[in-house]
């Protein structure tokens, strides 16, 4: 919800940071996030567990998934907190709340950037507190995160690891119940449970809506990791489906070109014509190691796209037997 503090809970390594970055990108582009509509805005995120190189690597994959350039994401800014003291506030043994110099620096940076979405990753690095203490939890959410929301008129998303009990129960709670009660909205990212008698899919996730003060509880969003991002499975809106489709098309295009180059290196050829039978490129490439992961239709469509984009063309090909045949060749530009 806009202008409020929400929580994103999940075990370490499940993908909380990834979908938080995806949320920043979605808001920068004014596009849906995991199939959910967003409001276009500028954002600032502090990621205490990830170095700049890792944040950038993820960002390249996210931009590719949206079919965007990194320059299109200038509305989002990220700060790596690795190696720094990232505490926004300290709660002393006597119960006093002390804001740190980093809080003032972060607030000023968010104001300068015009951020209306703030991502804080994660609570364990940003506060010195007892997670089982109701007062501490409320101070962290209401007094610290809430102050950012109020002064910036921004939405704040705080990432947090659940407690062991929260993991065991599956509800994603973290220590004190105040972590749930003080959030206006709380979502939980977890691995998709295996079907009875089956093996778990290590690439599958489920995002559950555990609390919503400003709207109805929404259905779970089932996600799957592909090409560096998490995208909805079994629907999720036309745009999100288009993102997944576009990423897959780019992937198949790369496979097609790799197969074409391998064929050329052998002094052989591939044809665009079905009349060529075993030399027909989609059929031929399906027999090669790289092409086995692609369907005949995907390779056929890739051939059409690459020809339309001027990346391949039909030309005379000199084979190892010194015969000239009509085949597909890569268009090399200087």
């Amino acid at each position: 919800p806009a202008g409020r503090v929400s929580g994103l809970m999940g075990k370490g390594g499940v993908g909380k940071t990834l979908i938080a970055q995806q949320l920043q990108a979605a808001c920068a582009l004014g596009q849906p996030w995991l199939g959910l509509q967003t409001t276009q805005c500028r954002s600032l995120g502090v990621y205490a567990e990830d170095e700049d190189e890792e944040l950038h690597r993820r960002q390249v994959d996210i931009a590719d998934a949206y079919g965007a350039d990194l320059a299109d994401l200038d509305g989002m800014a990220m700060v790596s907190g690795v190696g720094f003291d990232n505490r926004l506030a300290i709660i002393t043994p006597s119960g006093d709340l002390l804001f740190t110099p980093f809080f003032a620096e972060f607030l000023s940076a968010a104001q300068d950037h015009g951020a209306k979405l703030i991502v804080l990753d994660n609570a364990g690095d940003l506060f010195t507190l007892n997670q089982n203490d109701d007062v501490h939890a409320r101070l962290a959410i209401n007094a610290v995160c809430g102050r950012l929301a109020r002064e910036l008129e921004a939405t704040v998303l705080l990432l947090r690891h659940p407690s062991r009990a929260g993991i065991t129960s599956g509800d994603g709670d973290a220590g004190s119940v105040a972590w749930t009660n003080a959030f206006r909205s709380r979502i939980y990212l977890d691995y998709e449970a295996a079907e009875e008698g089956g093996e778990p899919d290590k690439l599958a996730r489920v995002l559950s809506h555990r609390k919503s003060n400003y709207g109805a509880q929404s259905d779970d969003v089932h996600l799957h990791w592909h090409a560096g991002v998490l995208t909805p499975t079994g629907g999720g809106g036309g745009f999100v489906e288009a993102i997944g489709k576009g990423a897959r098309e780019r992937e198949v295009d790369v496979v097609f070109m790799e197969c074409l180059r391998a064929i050329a290196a052998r002094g052989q050829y591939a044809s665009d014509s079905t009349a060529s039978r075993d030399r027909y490129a989609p059929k031929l490439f399906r027999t090669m190691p790289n092409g086995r992961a692609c369907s005949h239709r995907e390779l056929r469509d890739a051939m059409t796209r690459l020809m339309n984009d001027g990346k391949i063309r039909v030309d005379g090909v000199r084979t190892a037997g010194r015969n000239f045949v009509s085949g597909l060749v890569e268009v090399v530009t200087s």
Side-chain angles (χ1 to χ4, degrees):
R4 304 294 179 179
V5 181
S6 295
L8 169 57
M9 320 295 281
K11 291 175 276 192
V14 73
K16 296 188 303 298
T17 301
L18 173 59
I19 65 170
Q21 279 187 243
Q22 288 183 223
L23 175 60
Q24 282 195 260
C27 289
L29 297 168
Q31 300 290 359
W33 172 68
L34 308 180
L36 307 171
Q37 189 59 47
T38 63
T39 297
Q40 189 167 19
C41 67
R42 300 175 71 81
S43 65
L44 174 62
V46 56
Y47 295 94
E49 298 181 330
D50 293 281
E51 297 179 341
D52 285 324
E53 293 80 3
E54 176 63 14
L55 294 172
H56 178 75
R57 183 194 64 77
R58 286 202 200 104
Q59 204 59 23
V60 170
D61 289 337
I62 293 168
D64 286 345
Y66 275 103
D69 294 325
L70 289 177
D72 298 327
L73 302 177
D74 62 346
M76 62 174 291
M78 299 181 294
V79 177
S80 169
V82 174
F84 298 95
D85 184 346
N86 301 292
R87 291 176 296 178
L88 295 168
I90 298 169
I91 301 175
T92 68
S94 61
D96 295 324
L97 177 68
L98 303 178
F99 287 93
T100 66
F102 179 59
F103 178 92
E105 293 171 9
F106 186 80
L107 176 60
S108 177
Q111 289 170 332
D112 290 343
H113 187 62
K116 295 301 178 184
L117 167 66
I118 300 296
V119 174
L120 304 175
D121 182 19
N122 68 58
D125 294 286
L126 298 169
F127 307 105
T128 296
L129 52 76
N130 178 356
Q131 72 164 1
N132 297 311
D133 188 302
D134 287 357
V135 174
H136 285 201
R138 289 189 176 279
L139 283 173
I141 296 171
N142 294 331
V144 183
C145 296
R147 179 177 169 184
L148 288 173
R150 290 188 297 273
E151 294 205 20
L152 297 169
E153 297 182 345
T155 295
V156 176
L157 181 66
L158 176 64
L159 279 58
R160 179 115 175 83
H161 296 301
S163 64
R164 290 184 180 179
I167 294 173
T168 301
S169 67
D171 59 19
D173 283 338
S176 164
V177 294
W179 287 106
T180 294
N181 295 338
F183 285 129
R184 297 302 86 192
S185 175
R186 185 171 71 88
I187 51 181
Y188 182 51
L189 183 66
D190 199 3
Y191 294 96
E192 184 81 74
E195 296 183 2
E196 187 174 354
E199 292 292 324
D201 182 348
K202 295 180 180 180
L203 302 181
R205 306 284 190 274
V206 59
L207 186 66
S208 304
H209 204 178
R210 299 303 172 89
K211 179 181 180 181
S212 177
N213 279 32
Y214 300 102
Q217 292 284 106
S218 63
D219 294 334
D220 291 348
V221 179
H222 297 271
L223 307 167
H224 202 267
W225 188 93
H226 175 73
V229 297
L230 284 166
T231 56
T233 59
F239 180 82
V240 175
E241 290 169 4
I243 292 172
K245 183 173 181 287
R248 177 59 177 170
E249 286 177 352
R250 288 188 291 274
E251 188 176 85
V252 179
D253 288 351
V254 170
V255 171
F256 190 97
M257 295 302 298
E258 289 174 346
C259 291
L260 182 61
R261 291 167 188 148
I263 287 292
R266 297 176 194 170
Q268 300 173 345
Y269 75 98
S271 173
D272 67 318
S273 173
T274 56
S276 298
R277 299 180 182 274
D278 291 343
R279 307 311 302 181
Y280 179 51
K283 182 177 180 179
L284 175 61
F285 294 171
R286 281 275 295 142
T287 67
M288 301 173 66
N290 283 7
R292 287 173 188 155
C294 305
S295 69
H296 183 280
R297 174 179 289 183
E298 285 180 323
L299 290 167
R300 183 197 66 197
D301 292 345
M303 180 172 65
T304 301
R305 282 193 302 273
L306 292 167
M307 291 185 74
N308 290 339
D309 291 344
K311 295 180 179 178
I312 61 175
R313 69 170 185 265
V314 177
D315 206 342
V317 178
R318 191 178 184 91
T319 67
R322 297 187 177 277
N323 297 318
F324 274 99
V325 296
S326 178
L328 293 169
V329 297
E330 181 177 2
V331 176
V332 179
T333 57
S334 58

